[in-house]
Amino acid sequence: MTSASEPSRDDADIAMARLDALAACTDEPGRITRLAFSPALRDANARVLAWMREAGMAAGIDAAGNVVGRWEAETAGASAVMIGSHLDTVRDGGRYDGPLGVVAGIAVVERLRREGRRLPLAVEVIGFADEEGVRFGGSILGSAAVAGTLAPDWRERRDADGIDAATALRSFGVDPDGVGAASRRRDPPAAYLELHIEQGPALEDADVPLGCVTAIAGATRLLVTVDGTAGHAGTVPMRLRRDALAAAAECVLAVERLCAGAEAVGTVGHLRVAPDAVNVIPGRVRFSVDIRAAQDEVRTRLVDAALAEFQASARRRRVELAWQVTSRTETTPCSPRLVEALAGVLAGMGLPAPRLASGAGHDGIAVSAITEIGMLFLRCAGGISHHPAESVTVADVRLGIEALHRWSLALRRG
Ligand SMILES: [Zn+2]
């Protein structure tokens, strides 16, 4: 693409100012906390809605509380390239994870407006309302509503204050009985594009501003219980012990060793010991395992290998082992066509186009049920996300907007 205009300083500067304005929409003063369907999210939606309208888009809040704007195509009613991300955050989060993709999408449309340009496809920008899943324990609405894949029990889920999701929606100004109307199953976008901070250090390590995401890694989570025998720390000889924590420690290290030797990541993030006392041999330990890989067969093989090692440790140490799979998500591949188009865009900008998988989940997982998805990662300082220290440079944001703009122009219907 050589026809795209040079990046204007204003685009990135305005985007950064808007990200600061959104950071001020918070449920907890002094922190950035915008939970799904909270007053702070309603504020953020109102700001985004105003920016969309200033950019010449037809915009509104959809039936699930997402904010959506549309820049019409050459032919009215044509299908759309959807550009988006989420506007909710974790508690005490950062200002870029999510909102960056929304303000960058608006910047793309502002350019089209400045250039007086309509495309064969419309451009829609969407800010999803519930991606982080902090409030109701799982991403219940937002992109799932747009994809028409809402969990059957979404209405009954409750937040920490006991407020159910249906009530939360009502106080947000959304009719819980009408949420189904947000589904785009009958009118799916032609493609979904998302610009998101990397949430990892690979781009920074490689000294590269942008990267092409090939897939959103699948994840398997286990809850493992090890049962040994509790006893007095001072009286039971070592050779007679059935120490559940010592066995669990071997399991934790096995996860680390197996994943370090593969294209995967594995984490034991939660471990509970009972009894929990300095002078008692642990009788029961429960721990979580989270294994992710961009290839499902790699993940499945690692889960099997980890369980085999857990069982071997349990036999050796004469403890009982039980486990259950608490969640399993398959890998969501990005569309090869969109990845190729993005790589071409980055090459045209004189940039490297490293390919990497996303270890974290994104709205694209849900949206992939109705259309092909593509993701563009932007370098973030230290790979930090979900934290106030999240940081990006205005120069990288400028490149990100330019790439997103060229990527949208490169797409043709079908
Ligand atoms: Zn995010």
Side-chain angles (χ1 to χ4, degrees):
M1 296 299 302
T2 52
S3 59
S5 60
E6 285 302 302
S8 141
R9 268 195 70 76
D10 287 352
D11 286 337
D13 292 337
I14 291 170
M16 294 300 266
R18 287 177 171 174
L19 290 163
D20 290 343
L22 289 174
C25 304
T26 180
D27 298 312
E28 295 182 302
R31 300 167 128 196
I32 302 172
T33 301
R34 253 188 337 272
L35 301 189
F37 313 112
S38 67
L41 186 71
R42 190 165 47 205
D43 261 13
N45 271 3
R47 284 170 195 255
V48 168
L49 196 58
W51 298 330
M52 286 173 166
R53 287 177 177 155
E54 277 170 35
M57 307 173 87
I61 305 294
D62 78 5
N66 305 303
V67 54
V68 194
R70 179 175 168 102
W71 176 253
E72 194 49 84
E74 286 162 353
T75 310
S79 58
V81 176
M82 182 181 271
I83 301 174
S85 194
H86 57 96
L87 291 172
D88 66 322
T89 70
V90 297
R91 280 184 199 282
D92 200 15
R95 61 186 63 202
Y96 305 107
D97 181 336
L100 173 65
V102 180
V103 301
I106 297 172
V108 166
V109 171
E110 274 168 347
R111 271 201 193 189
L112 295 173
R113 176 180 157 99
R114 273 204 310 276
E115 294 163 357
R117 197 161 184 176
R118 299 280 172 187
L119 305 177
L121 295 166
V123 177
E124 291 187 14
V125 179
I126 188 160
F128 291 112
D130 178 23
E131 193 272 343
E132 298 289 6
V134 173
R135 185 168 177 190
F136 294 105
S139 312
I140 53 162
L141 285 167
S143 44
V146 167
T149 55
L150 279 176
D153 69 338
W154 72 265
R155 299 172 70 102
E156 289 86 47
R157 302 223 188 144
R158 287 178 189 275
D159 68 9
D161 299 322
I163 299 169
D164 65 75
T167 305
L169 255 69
R170 223 173 273 118
S171 49
F172 193 70
V174 165
D175 173 10
D177 297 324
V179 163
S183 169
R184 296 290 295 272
R185 241 165 215 284
R186 288 207 197 89
D187 170 31
Y192 172 75
L193 310 182
E194 180 165 350
L195 170 65
H196 199 283
I197 59 169
E198 184 202 342
Q199 301 182 269
L203 293 174
E204 191 178 61
D205 278 0
D207 196 21
V208 171
L210 302 170
C212 306
V213 180
T214 52
I216 303 171
T220 300
R221 290 201 182 132
L222 309 173
L223 179 64
V224 182
T225 306
V226 182
D227 277 310
T229 306
H232 195 294
T235 60
V236 183
M238 297 306 284
R239 66 187 168 77
L240 295 180
R241 291 187 179 197
R242 297 174 66 240
D243 183 330
L245 181 55
E250 289 190 346
C251 299
V252 173
L253 294 177
V255 169
E256 185 186 54
R257 176 167 34 77
L258 288 165
C259 292
E263 291 282 304
V265 286
T267 308
V268 174
H270 168 83
L271 189 144
R272 182 164 291 164
V273 181
D276 185 6
V278 291
N279 61 347
V280 181
I281 299 160
R284 165 173 277 198
V285 173
R286 273 216 159 114
F287 61 94
S288 64
V289 179
D290 178 314
I291 293 178
R292 304 182 191 212
Q295 291 184 327
D296 288 331
E297 56 279 13
V298 170
R299 176 173 46 87
T300 307
R301 180 171 54 72
L302 284 169
V303 170
D304 290 346
L307 287 169
E309 295 221 13
F310 296 175
Q311 280 158 340
S313 287
R315 272 196 303 276
R316 219 168 32 244
R317 292 179 169 275
R318 296 172 295 109
V319 295
E320 307 296 322
L321 183 82
W323 52 271
Q324 63 186 108
V325 176
T326 49
S327 81
R328 183 189 287 127
T329 316
E330 304 303 306
T331 290
T332 303
C334 291
S335 152
R337 177 179 86 101
L338 296 177
V339 175
E340 284 309 314
L342 177 57
V345 161
L346 297 182
M349 291 168 65
L351 294 173
R355 295 174 190 223
L356 65 173
S358 172
H362 294 287
D363 289 299
I365 296 174
V367 180
S368 71
I370 54 167
T371 192
E372 56 183 343
I373 66 159
M375 282 196 82
L376 168 61
F377 268 172
L378 189 138
R379 164 170 61 187
C380 56
I384 293 168
S385 70
H386 286 188
H387 190 275
E390 259 176 33
S391 177
V392 300
T393 68
V394 66
D396 284 357
V397 169
R398 187 166 294 121
L399 293 170
I401 292 170
E402 176 69 20
L404 196 57
H405 181 244
R406 293 187 184 206
W407 198 13
S408 310
L409 295 182
L411 300 183
R412 295 286 177 270
R413 206 183 318 244

